[in-house]
Amino acid sequence: MKVCFMGLGYIGLPTAIIAAKHGIEVVGVDINPQVVEATNAGHLHIVEPGMEALLQEVVGNGQLTASTTPEESDAFFIVVPTPFKGEHEPDISFVESATNMVVPFLKEGNMFVIESTSPIGTTEKMAQLIFSERPELKGKIFIAYCPERVLPGNVIYELTHNDRVIGGIDEASTKKAQEFYANFVTGNLHATDCKTAEMCKLVENSCRDSQIAFANELSIICDKVGINVWELINLANKHPRVNILQPGCGVGGHCIAVDPYFISTSFPKDARMIGTAREVNNYKADWCAEKVHNAMLRFELERKRKPLVAMMGLAFKPDIDDLRESPAKYIVTKVMQSGNNANIMVVEPNIKEHKVFKLSDYKTAYEQADIAVFLTAHTIFKELEWRNDKVILDFCGIFKK
């Protein structure tokens, strides 16, 4: 079997690698020639533990090749970004573009699957696009939607072990997609229709966003009344039916920080809690930036000099290099813009360089800083010891113990 993955990003590339590892001939397509070149050379352009060794194996044995254009295949998978535009309206232009690229290569018996997070009705819309260009294929190809469910940093395990929800435009398409994923997924493959599968992905991330918003809102209240929020949550979670998540400096990533808008913008009068959760989590980042700014002003008033500030972390979650929709990156930018030539060191141990920020070593930055601001709970940050001679703003629980 030969399959074509359209998009070699944080999900497309790992999925292509795992499929190739399980004996499937894979062509990975990306519009970025640097990504294609790196992939064919066996170099992983993202950070994901254990994945580069697998990439080198499947490239070396010819199971995976990368290209800037699709090829005739038995199945095509759309794994491209779906950002938003304007007032948080879903943008499916990348999905449409990738679909248009594969339309000329489709033939009878092929399978077309969308994995990209999409607004409800996108799969049916792409089916209409395909059949408008290739009407002779109507009823002769299989079309389905199957959203990914993985945690960055643990992708190898989760791609193979997590349950998947698969929804076709008809029962035959659902079964065909289930047969494919059974090649490498040991979790259960739950059958449904494409609209329900699309909504399922949005609901999963909206639920997480709402739960995080509760924790973030709690942290703001606790700060006002002088309560240690980490201790409070630990105690509250001793209740057998309570499981409060850990607060942070907001919510980032290309899923939880984006997907709820796909519901709230489509149903603004009905998705009130979902919309409010987004507002709370966005506000938390502004609240953190304001706390840092105030600490800098206070230091300058008391010490009669500007402080050296270490901003610890840019990634949206621990131990990865993904900065998409990162509240940490937003906070660093906002603090630098309001700092009036402030002395700021930026730390992100999971990337080598950044186009905007000059990066510093985490130990050096912490040692030299007057004010240390922890934005991302990277594991190596937890090796650092609390220092009473510094102002420490811990927004992610580095020192909660």
Side-chain angles (χ1 to χ4, degrees):
M1 185 181 191
K2 180 179 178 180
V3 303
C4 182
F5 280 87
M6 302 296 293
L8 294 176
Y10 286 92
I11 302 302
L13 181 55
T15 309
I17 292 170
I18 294 297
K21 172 68 176 174
H22 286 76
I24 298 167
E25 183 184 352
V26 176
V27 176
V29 178
D30 202 281
I31 60 172
N32 186 334
Q34 283 88 15
V35 168
V36 170
E37 183 180 349
T39 302
N40 283 328
H43 300 309
L44 198 71
H45 74 95
I46 59 175
V47 173
E48 185 58 46
M51 192 63 74
E52 186 162 84
L54 291 181
L55 172 62
Q56 291 170 355
E57 178 185 339
V58 296
V59 168
N61 62 24
Q63 287 297 123
L64 171 64
T65 58
S67 174
T68 54
T69 55
E71 299 177 7
E72 281 197 5
S73 301
D74 299 302
F76 297 85
F77 293 82
I78 308 300
V79 200
V80 295
T82 45
F84 45 68
K85 58 187 177 181
E87 293 298 314
H88 298 118
E89 296 176 15
D91 180 5
I92 62 169
S93 61
F94 293 120
V95 174
E96 290 177 334
S97 178
T99 302
N100 279 320
M101 285 180 71
V102 305
V103 165
F105 297 90
L106 290 170
K107 57 184 184 295
E108 185 176 343
N110 277 180
M111 180 170 62
F112 174 89
V113 178
I114 300 174
E115 285 202 3
S116 303
T117 304
S118 303
I120 303 161
T122 300
T123 307
E124 292 178 340
K125 187 175 182 179
M126 292 307 104
Q128 292 171 1
L129 188 157
I130 291 169
F131 298 139
S132 67
E133 296 291 324
R134 301 286 303 279
E136 77 278 9
L137 292 176
K138 195 163 188 177
K140 295 182 179 180
I141 63 172
F142 305 96
I143 299 176
Y145 181 80
C146 180
E148 53 82 13
R149 276 177 170 168
V150 296
L151 184 70
N154 195 35
V155 167
I156 294 175
Y157 178 87
E158 299 212 348
L159 266 177
T160 55
H161 287 78
N162 288 357
D163 287 12
R164 300 292 289 261
V165 174
I166 301 174
I169 60 170
D170 51 39
E171 190 174 340
S173 295
T174 303
K175 289 182 178 179
K176 189 74 172 178
Q178 283 179 302
E179 290 172 5
F180 171 79
Y181 285 101
N183 283 296
F184 59 88
V185 176
T186 59
N188 294 319
L189 303 173
H190 303 279
T192 184
D193 60 86
C194 55
K195 280 188 176 180
T196 304
E198 289 164 345
M199 185 63 160
C200 187
K201 172 66 174 179
L202 303 180
V203 166
E204 290 166 8
N205 286 325
S206 296
C207 179
R208 292 280 293 169
D209 194 45
S210 297
Q211 292 171 329
I212 296 169
F214 181 84
N216 280 336
E217 191 170 87
L218 198 60
S219 69
I220 294 171
I221 295 169
C222 286
D223 182 76
K224 287 189 174 182
V225 295
I227 292 174
N228 183 322
V229 68
W230 313 104
E231 180 187 5
L232 174 67
I233 290 174
N234 181 54
L235 293 172
N237 284 348
K238 302 299 182 185
H239 189 291
R241 290 173 295 280
V242 173
N243 183 25
I244 303 170
L245 301 182
Q246 301 296 295
C249 62
V251 170
H254 194 60
C255 291
I256 299 178
V258 175
D259 297 357
Y261 287 120
F262 287 29
I263 299 176
S264 62
T265 56
S266 298
F267 307 96
K269 293 183 179 180
D270 304 301
R272 289 178 292 176
M273 194 173 93
I274 293 171
T276 300
R278 281 280 73 234
E279 292 174 5
V280 170
N281 286 329
N282 285 338
Y283 170 70
K284 183 64 186 293
D286 287 313
W287 182 86
C288 290
E290 186 68 19
K291 293 283 286 186
V292 177
H293 184 62
N294 289 340
M296 292 166 65
L297 291 175
R298 194 178 305 112
F299 184 96
E300 188 171 357
L301 285 171
E302 293 175 355
R303 308 289 182 90
K304 308 303 180 186
R305 66 175 176 87
K306 289 183 180 295
L308 178 58
V309 182
M311 305 295 285
M312 309 290 285
L314 286 174
F316 79 84
K317 63 173 293 178
D319 304 329
I320 63 171
D321 69 333
D322 196 342
L323 273 55
R324 291 178 298 174
E325 309 298 328
S326 171
K329 185 177 72 171
Y330 170 82
I331 292 165
V332 171
T333 302
K334 191 161 187 179
V335 169
M336 293 180 78
Q337 289 173 343
S338 64
N340 190 23
N341 296 320
N343 300 317
I344 295 175
M345 301 176 75
V346 180
V347 173
E348 178 43 66
N350 292 296
I351 59 176
K352 294 180 180 179
E353 59 182 17
H354 191 272
K355 293 180 180 179
V356 176
F357 307 115
K358 180 182 177 181
L359 301 178
S360 300
D361 173 73
Y362 78 101
K363 288 183 178 179
T364 303
Y366 186 60
E367 178 65 31
Q368 295 179 357
D370 299 303
I371 301 175
V373 183
F374 288 91
L375 301 169
T376 311
H378 293 310
T379 300
I380 60 172
F381 290 171
K382 297 178 182 179
E383 300 169 2
L384 301 170
E385 295 184 0
W386 178 272
R387 295 275 296 269
N388 288 319
D389 60 333
K390 300 180 183 297
V391 177
I392 297 177
L393 299 178
D394 182 8
F395 296 124
C396 57
I398 296 294
F399 300 108
K400 63 183 177 183
K401 293 182 180 179

